[in-house]
Amino acid sequence: MADPEQVTRHEREIGELRGKLDALATKEFVRTVVNEQTRELNEKFDTINKKFDAMDQHLKDISDRQQRFKGIGQAISFGLPFLVSALALVAVLLK
């Protein structure tokens, strides 16, 4: 029959090995969960990035239109007095 001290030592070693296996399993589980969550977050950030890129493009389009209208407004505000003066001059010369 086996010595009780030897049985106790084997049980302790088996317990230690089980503990190490549980720790390894836990580490692997945590790695798996962290990798999964990281992948999900990256997908969400990519989606958000695409939305921000679309919004950025829309804002750029609006800014371009605003600049065109500003240019048209400046042309009218500077050109209109010259046009009025030219018409007044033509009216005076035709009399």
Side-chain angles (χ1 to χ4, degrees):
M1 182 114 183
D3 183 17
E5 185 178 314
Q6 199 175 29
V7 170
T8 306
R9 185 171 54 96
H10 287 306
E11 288 174 351
R12 192 175 334 113
E13 287 175 356
I14 290 171
E16 287 174 8
L17 288 172
R18 281 187 180 157
K20 288 179 182 179
L21 286 173
D22 287 345
L24 284 174
T26 302
K27 285 180 185 177
E28 188 59 36
F29 173 74
V30 169
R31 277 192 197 114
T32 303
V33 169
V34 167
N35 286 337
E36 223 173 89
Q37 289 175 345
T38 302
R39 183 183 48 76
E40 288 174 8
L41 285 173
N42 284 338
E43 288 174 3
K44 288 180 183 178
F45 283 132
D46 288 344
T47 302
I48 290 170
N49 251 354
K50 288 177 186 175
K51 289 180 182 178
F52 275 122
D53 289 344
M55 285 177 29
D56 188 46
Q57 185 60 42
H58 289 305
L59 289 174
K60 187 178 180 303
D61 292 343
I62 290 170
S63 177
D64 291 345
R65 273 190 252 142
Q66 181 186 15
Q67 289 299 320
R68 277 197 312 260
F69 287 132
K70 186 177 178 183
I72 292 169
Q74 286 176 344
I76 290 172
S77 65
F78 288 116
L80 194 59
F82 292 117
L83 181 62
V84 169
S85 298
L87 289 175
L89 184 60
V90 168
V92 168
L93 292 175
L94 290 177
K95 276 189 177 182

